[in-house]
Structures are given as C-alpha cells and as structure tokens.
PDB file of all heavy atoms in Angstrom:
ATOM      1  N   CYS A   1     -14.133   0.813  -3.862  1.00  0.00           N
ATOM      2  CA  CYS A   1     -13.085   0.338  -4.788  1.00  0.00           C
ATOM      3  C   CYS A   1     -13.022  -1.174  -4.733  1.00  0.00           C
ATOM      4  O   CYS A   1     -13.340  -1.742  -3.678  1.00  0.00           O
ATOM      5  CB  CYS A   1     -11.769   1.020  -4.497  1.00  0.00           C
ATOM      6  SG  CYS A   1     -10.608   0.948  -5.875  1.00  0.00           S
ATOM      7  N   THR A   2     -12.604  -1.812  -5.774  1.00  0.00           N
ATOM      8  CA  THR A   2     -12.542  -3.246  -5.738  1.00  0.00           C
ATOM      9  C   THR A   2     -11.251  -3.765  -5.033  1.00  0.00           C
ATOM     10  O   THR A   2     -10.200  -3.103  -5.064  1.00  0.00           O
ATOM     11  CB  THR A   2     -12.510  -3.867  -7.199  1.00  0.00           C
ATOM     12  OG1 THR A   2     -11.334  -3.406  -7.859  1.00  0.00           O
ATOM     13  CG2 THR A   2     -13.735  -3.330  -7.999  1.00  0.00           C
ATOM     14  N   ASP A   3     -11.342  -4.951  -4.456  1.00  0.00           N
ATOM     15  CA  ASP A   3     -10.153  -5.531  -3.817  1.00  0.00           C
ATOM     16  C   ASP A   3      -9.094  -5.885  -4.912  1.00  0.00           C
ATOM     17  O   ASP A   3      -7.859  -5.735  -4.580  1.00  0.00           O
ATOM     18  CB  ASP A   3     -10.584  -6.866  -3.178  1.00  0.00           C
ATOM     19  CG  ASP A   3     -11.290  -6.667  -1.867  1.00  0.00           C
ATOM     20  OD1 ASP A   3     -11.628  -5.489  -1.525  1.00  0.00           O
ATOM     21  OD2 ASP A   3     -11.656  -7.637  -1.192  1.00  0.00           O
ATOM     22  N   LYS A   4      -9.518  -6.175  -6.105  1.00  0.00           N
ATOM     23  CA  LYS A   4      -8.529  -6.377  -7.181  1.00  0.00           C
ATOM     24  C   LYS A   4      -7.644  -5.137  -7.393  1.00  0.00           C
ATOM     25  O   LYS A   4      -6.465  -5.276  -7.507  1.00  0.00           O
ATOM     26  CB  LYS A   4      -9.249  -6.775  -8.455  1.00  0.00           C
ATOM     27  CG  LYS A   4      -8.308  -7.104  -9.629  1.00  0.00           C
ATOM     28  CD  LYS A   4      -9.059  -7.522 -10.848  1.00  0.00           C
ATOM     29  CE  LYS A   4      -8.140  -7.822 -12.021  1.00  0.00           C
ATOM     30  NZ  LYS A   4      -8.941  -8.199 -13.252  1.00  0.00           N
ATOM     31  N   ARG A   5      -8.237  -3.981  -7.496  1.00  0.00           N
ATOM     32  CA  ARG A   5      -7.525  -2.803  -7.704  1.00  0.00           C
ATOM     33  C   ARG A   5      -6.619  -2.456  -6.459  1.00  0.00           C
ATOM     34  O   ARG A   5      -5.444  -2.096  -6.716  1.00  0.00           O
ATOM     35  CB  ARG A   5      -8.543  -1.592  -7.922  1.00  0.00           C
ATOM     36  CG  ARG A   5      -7.879  -0.192  -7.791  1.00  0.00           C
ATOM     37  CD  ARG A   5      -6.775  -0.022  -8.795  1.00  0.00           C
ATOM     38  NE  ARG A   5      -7.256  -0.177 -10.187  1.00  0.00           N
ATOM     39  CZ  ARG A   5      -6.434  -0.143 -11.243  1.00  0.00           C
ATOM     40  NH1 ARG A   5      -5.151   0.067 -11.031  1.00  0.00           N
ATOM     41  NH2 ARG A   5      -6.931  -0.337 -12.481  1.00  0.00           N
ATOM     42  N   ILE A   6      -7.100  -2.687  -5.323  1.00  0.00           N
ATOM     43  CA  ILE A   6      -6.311  -2.421  -4.073  1.00  0.00           C
ATOM     44  C   ILE A   6      -5.112  -3.367  -4.063  1.00  0.00           C
ATOM     45  O   ILE A   6      -3.971  -2.950  -3.750  1.00  0.00           O
ATOM     46  CB  ILE A   6      -7.124  -2.569  -2.813  1.00  0.00           C
ATOM     47  CG1 ILE A   6      -8.343  -1.682  -2.879  1.00  0.00           C
ATOM     48  CG2 ILE A   6      -6.308  -2.293  -1.574  1.00  0.00           C
ATOM     49  CD1 ILE A   6      -8.043  -0.234  -3.143  1.00  0.00           C
ATOM     50  N   ASN A   7      -5.282  -4.627  -4.432  1.00  0.00           N
ATOM     51  CA  ASN A   7      -4.155  -5.570  -4.437  1.00  0.00           C
ATOM     52  C   ASN A   7      -3.102  -5.193  -5.496  1.00  0.00           C
ATOM     53  O   ASN A   7      -1.954  -5.644  -5.406  1.00  0.00           O
ATOM     54  CB  ASN A   7      -4.598  -6.978  -4.631  1.00  0.00           C
ATOM     55  CG  ASN A   7      -5.380  -7.512  -3.421  1.00  0.00           C
ATOM     56  OD1 ASN A   7      -5.162  -7.051  -2.321  1.00  0.00           O
ATOM     57  ND2 ASN A   7      -6.258  -8.481  -3.639  1.00  0.00           N
ATOM     58  N   GLN A   8      -3.502  -4.439  -6.478  1.00  0.00           N
ATOM     59  CA  GLN A   8      -2.535  -3.985  -7.487  1.00  0.00           C
ATOM     60  C   GLN A   8      -1.724  -2.777  -6.937  1.00  0.00           C
ATOM     61  O   GLN A   8      -0.584  -2.568  -7.357  1.00  0.00           O
ATOM     62  CB  GLN A   8      -3.284  -3.545  -8.796  1.00  0.00           C
ATOM     63  CG  GLN A   8      -3.876  -4.695  -9.511  1.00  0.00           C
ATOM     64  CD  GLN A   8      -4.803  -4.272 -10.645  1.00  0.00           C
ATOM     65  OE1 GLN A   8      -5.102  -3.070 -10.728  1.00  0.00           O
ATOM     66  NE2 GLN A   8      -5.154  -5.174 -11.583  1.00  0.00           N
ATOM     67  N   VAL A   9      -2.302  -2.053  -6.056  1.00  0.00           N
ATOM     68  CA  VAL A   9      -1.688  -0.814  -5.535  1.00  0.00           C
ATOM     69  C   VAL A   9      -0.798  -1.061  -4.338  1.00  0.00           C
ATOM     70  O   VAL A   9       0.267  -0.433  -4.151  1.00  0.00           O
ATOM     71  CB  VAL A   9      -2.746   0.197  -5.239  1.00  0.00           C
ATOM     72  CG1 VAL A   9      -2.252   1.384  -4.426  1.00  0.00           C
ATOM     73  CG2 VAL A   9      -3.447   0.708  -6.440  1.00  0.00           C
ATOM     74  N   THR A  10      -1.222  -1.951  -3.412  1.00  0.00           N
ATOM     75  CA  THR A  10      -0.596  -2.051  -2.137  1.00  0.00           C
ATOM     76  C   THR A  10       0.871  -2.635  -2.151  1.00  0.00           C
ATOM     77  O   THR A  10       1.622  -2.257  -1.263  1.00  0.00           O
ATOM     78  CB  THR A  10      -1.496  -2.862  -1.118  1.00  0.00           C
ATOM     79  OG1 THR A  10      -1.871  -4.079  -1.729  1.00  0.00           O
ATOM     80  CG2 THR A  10      -2.686  -2.061  -0.719  1.00  0.00           C
ATOM     81  N   PRO A  11       1.235  -3.512  -3.039  1.00  0.00           N
ATOM     82  CA  PRO A  11       2.620  -4.052  -2.951  1.00  0.00           C
ATOM     83  C   PRO A  11       3.670  -2.873  -3.002  1.00  0.00           C
ATOM     84  O   PRO A  11       4.612  -2.885  -2.190  1.00  0.00           O
ATOM     85  CB  PRO A  11       2.750  -4.924  -4.195  1.00  0.00           C
ATOM     86  CG  PRO A  11       1.337  -5.467  -4.368  1.00  0.00           C
ATOM     87  CD  PRO A  11       0.497  -4.292  -4.043  1.00  0.00           C
ATOM     88  N   SER A  12       3.561  -1.949  -3.896  1.00  0.00           N
ATOM     89  CA  SER A  12       4.465  -0.798  -3.976  1.00  0.00           C
ATOM     90  C   SER A  12       4.308   0.116  -2.787  1.00  0.00           C
ATOM     91  O   SER A  12       5.271   0.639  -2.217  1.00  0.00           O
ATOM     92  CB  SER A  12       4.368  -0.072  -5.314  1.00  0.00           C
ATOM     93  OG  SER A  12       3.077   0.412  -5.456  1.00  0.00           O
ATOM     94  N   LEU A  13       3.030   0.358  -2.367  1.00  0.00           N
ATOM     95  CA  LEU A  13       2.775   1.225  -1.222  1.00  0.00           C
ATOM     96  C   LEU A  13       3.358   0.653   0.062  1.00  0.00           C
ATOM     97  O   LEU A  13       4.063   1.377   0.791  1.00  0.00           O
ATOM     98  CB  LEU A  13       1.258   1.303  -1.050  1.00  0.00           C
ATOM     99  CG  LEU A  13       0.831   2.186   0.194  1.00  0.00           C
ATOM    100  CD1 LEU A  13       1.151   3.647   0.012  1.00  0.00           C
ATOM    101  CD2 LEU A  13      -0.727   2.014   0.381  1.00  0.00           C
ATOM    102  N   PHE A  14       3.187  -0.644   0.271  1.00  0.00           N
ATOM    103  CA  PHE A  14       3.799  -1.333   1.492  1.00  0.00           C
ATOM    104  C   PHE A  14       5.265  -1.436   1.393  1.00  0.00           C
ATOM    105  O   PHE A  14       5.929  -1.503   2.401  1.00  0.00           O
ATOM    106  CB  PHE A  14       3.053  -2.669   1.737  1.00  0.00           C
ATOM    107  CG  PHE A  14       1.642  -2.535   2.055  1.00  0.00           C
ATOM    108  CD1 PHE A  14       0.737  -3.599   1.785  1.00  0.00           C
ATOM    109  CD2 PHE A  14       1.100  -1.423   2.641  1.00  0.00           C
ATOM    110  CE1 PHE A  14      -0.607  -3.519   2.105  1.00  0.00           C
ATOM    111  CE2 PHE A  14      -0.261  -1.314   2.944  1.00  0.00           C
ATOM    112  CZ  PHE A  14      -1.069  -2.374   2.664  1.00  0.00           C
ATOM    113  N   GLY A  15       5.816  -1.548   0.148  1.00  0.00           N
ATOM    114  CA  GLY A  15       7.235  -1.560   0.018  1.00  0.00           C
ATOM    115  C   GLY A  15       7.900  -0.304   0.486  1.00  0.00           C
ATOM    116  O   GLY A  15       8.978  -0.315   1.067  1.00  0.00           O
ATOM    117  N   ARG A  16       7.180   0.807   0.279  1.00  0.00           N
ATOM    118  CA  ARG A  16       7.692   2.110   0.676  1.00  0.00           C
ATOM    119  C   ARG A  16       7.298   2.447   2.105  1.00  0.00           C
ATOM    120  O   ARG A  16       8.068   3.045   2.841  1.00  0.00           O
ATOM    121  CB  ARG A  16       7.133   3.186  -0.263  1.00  0.00           C
ATOM    122  CG  ARG A  16       7.501   4.619   0.101  1.00  0.00           C
ATOM    123  CD  ARG A  16       9.023   4.889   0.050  1.00  0.00           C
ATOM    124  NE  ARG A  16       9.327   6.256   0.414  1.00  0.00           N
ATOM    125  CZ  ARG A  16       9.560   6.672   1.648  1.00  0.00           C
ATOM    126  NH1 ARG A  16       9.397   5.762   2.718  1.00  0.00           N
ATOM    127  NH2 ARG A  16       9.834   7.916   1.961  1.00  0.00           N
ATOM    128  N   PHE A  17       6.072   2.047   2.518  1.00  0.00           N
ATOM    129  CA  PHE A  17       5.597   2.354   3.883  1.00  0.00           C
ATOM    130  C   PHE A  17       5.092   1.073   4.530  1.00  0.00           C
ATOM    131  O   PHE A  17       3.946   0.759   4.543  1.00  0.00           O
ATOM    132  CB  PHE A  17       4.487   3.398   3.803  1.00  0.00           C
ATOM    133  CG  PHE A  17       4.766   4.601   3.063  1.00  0.00           C
ATOM    134  CD1 PHE A  17       4.122   4.903   1.853  1.00  0.00           C
ATOM    135  CD2 PHE A  17       5.698   5.532   3.500  1.00  0.00           C
ATOM    136  CE1 PHE A  17       4.444   6.026   1.104  1.00  0.00           C
ATOM    137  CE2 PHE A  17       5.995   6.707   2.843  1.00  0.00           C
ATOM    138  CZ  PHE A  17       5.354   6.934   1.562  1.00  0.00           C
ATOM    139  N   PRO A  18       6.023   0.227   5.048  1.00  0.00           N
ATOM    140  CA  PRO A  18       5.622  -1.058   5.566  1.00  0.00           C
ATOM    141  C   PRO A  18       4.836  -1.049   6.917  1.00  0.00           C
ATOM    142  O   PRO A  18       4.135  -1.984   7.229  1.00  0.00           O
ATOM    143  CB  PRO A  18       6.920  -1.831   5.676  1.00  0.00           C
ATOM    144  CG  PRO A  18       7.908  -0.766   5.890  1.00  0.00           C
ATOM    145  CD  PRO A  18       7.457   0.420   5.074  1.00  0.00           C
ATOM    146  N   ASP A  19       5.044   0.027   7.622  1.00  0.00           N
ATOM    147  CA  ASP A  19       4.396   0.112   8.959  1.00  0.00           C
ATOM    148  C   ASP A  19       3.957   1.559   9.264  1.00  0.00           C
ATOM    149  O   ASP A  19       4.176   2.485   8.502  1.00  0.00           O
ATOM    150  CB  ASP A  19       5.357  -0.367  10.034  1.00  0.00           C
ATOM    151  CG  ASP A  19       6.720   0.285   9.953  1.00  0.00           C
ATOM    152  OD1 ASP A  19       6.787   1.495   9.592  1.00  0.00           O
ATOM    153  OD2 ASP A  19       7.720  -0.350  10.248  1.00  0.00           O
ATOM    154  N   ALA A  20       3.329   1.696  10.404  1.00  0.00           N
ATOM    155  CA  ALA A  20       2.740   3.025  10.773  1.00  0.00           C
ATOM    156  C   ALA A  20       3.894   4.074  10.889  1.00  0.00           C
ATOM    157  O   ALA A  20       3.671   5.231  10.491  1.00  0.00           O
ATOM    158  CB  ALA A  20       1.967   2.919  12.053  1.00  0.00           C
ATOM    159  N   LYS A  21       4.997   3.717  11.458  1.00  0.00           N
ATOM    160  CA  LYS A  21       6.062   4.688  11.663  1.00  0.00           C
ATOM    161  C   LYS A  21       6.526   5.205  10.320  1.00  0.00           C
ATOM    162  O   LYS A  21       6.713   6.444  10.165  1.00  0.00           O
ATOM    163  CB  LYS A  21       7.208   4.021  12.403  1.00  0.00           C
ATOM    164  CG  LYS A  21       8.344   5.009  12.735  1.00  0.00           C
ATOM    165  CD  LYS A  21       9.474   4.302  13.521  1.00  0.00           C
ATOM    166  CE  LYS A  21      10.573   5.325  13.830  1.00  0.00           C
ATOM    167  NZ  LYS A  21      11.661   4.628  14.602  1.00  0.00           N
ATOM    168  N   ALA A  22       6.689   4.369   9.324  1.00  0.00           N
ATOM    169  CA  ALA A  22       7.188   4.830   8.005  1.00  0.00           C
ATOM    170  C   ALA A  22       6.148   5.716   7.350  1.00  0.00           C
ATOM    171  O   ALA A  22       6.493   6.789   6.765  1.00  0.00           O
ATOM    172  CB  ALA A  22       7.419   3.622   7.117  1.00  0.00           C
ATOM    173  N   MET A  23       4.857   5.336   7.452  1.00  0.00           N
ATOM    174  CA  MET A  23       3.820   6.155   6.801  1.00  0.00           C
ATOM    175  C   MET A  23       3.631   7.468   7.550  1.00  0.00           C
ATOM    176  O   MET A  23       3.286   8.511   6.993  1.00  0.00           O
ATOM    177  CB  MET A  23       2.520   5.384   6.667  1.00  0.00           C
ATOM    178  CG  MET A  23       1.522   6.108   5.819  1.00  0.00           C
ATOM    179  SD  MET A  23       0.071   5.019   5.420  1.00  0.00           S
ATOM    180  CE  MET A  23       0.756   3.901   4.235  1.00  0.00           C
ATOM    181  N   ALA A  24       3.802   7.475   8.868  1.00  0.00           N
ATOM    182  CA  ALA A  24       3.619   8.657   9.641  1.00  0.00           C
ATOM    183  C   ALA A  24       4.672   9.767   9.214  1.00  0.00           C
ATOM    184  O   ALA A  24       4.368  10.970   9.384  1.00  0.00           O
ATOM    185  CB  ALA A  24       3.818   8.384  11.148  1.00  0.00           C
ATOM    186  N   GLY A  25       5.776   9.378   8.737  1.00  0.00           N
ATOM    187  CA  GLY A  25       6.794  10.315   8.298  1.00  0.00           C
ATOM    188  C   GLY A  25       6.651  10.829   6.855  1.00  0.00           C
ATOM    189  O   GLY A  25       7.480  11.620   6.347  1.00  0.00           O
TER     190      GLY A  25
END
C-alpha cells in the first residue's frame, strides 16, 4: 500500500488507539 494512503488513515486510527495498551483493548 502507498505511504500516502497510510498517512490518510493513521491520524484517526492513532487518535483512537495512540499506544499499544489502547489498541490491545
């Protein structure tokens, strides 16, 4: 996948799951 696409997706993803603990849940 392109970095451009990933950079469009990750701001909201990281807003919800900023660290491993958050994503683990």
Side-chain angles (χ1 to χ4, degrees):
C1 197
T2 66
D3 286 2
K4 181 179 179 180
R5 166 59 59 185
I6 302 308
N7 289 337
Q8 292 171 345
V9 167
T10 50
S12 58
L13 178 68
F14 295 153
R16 176 65 180 85
F17 308 111
D19 52 34
K21 183 177 180 181
M23 190 170 286

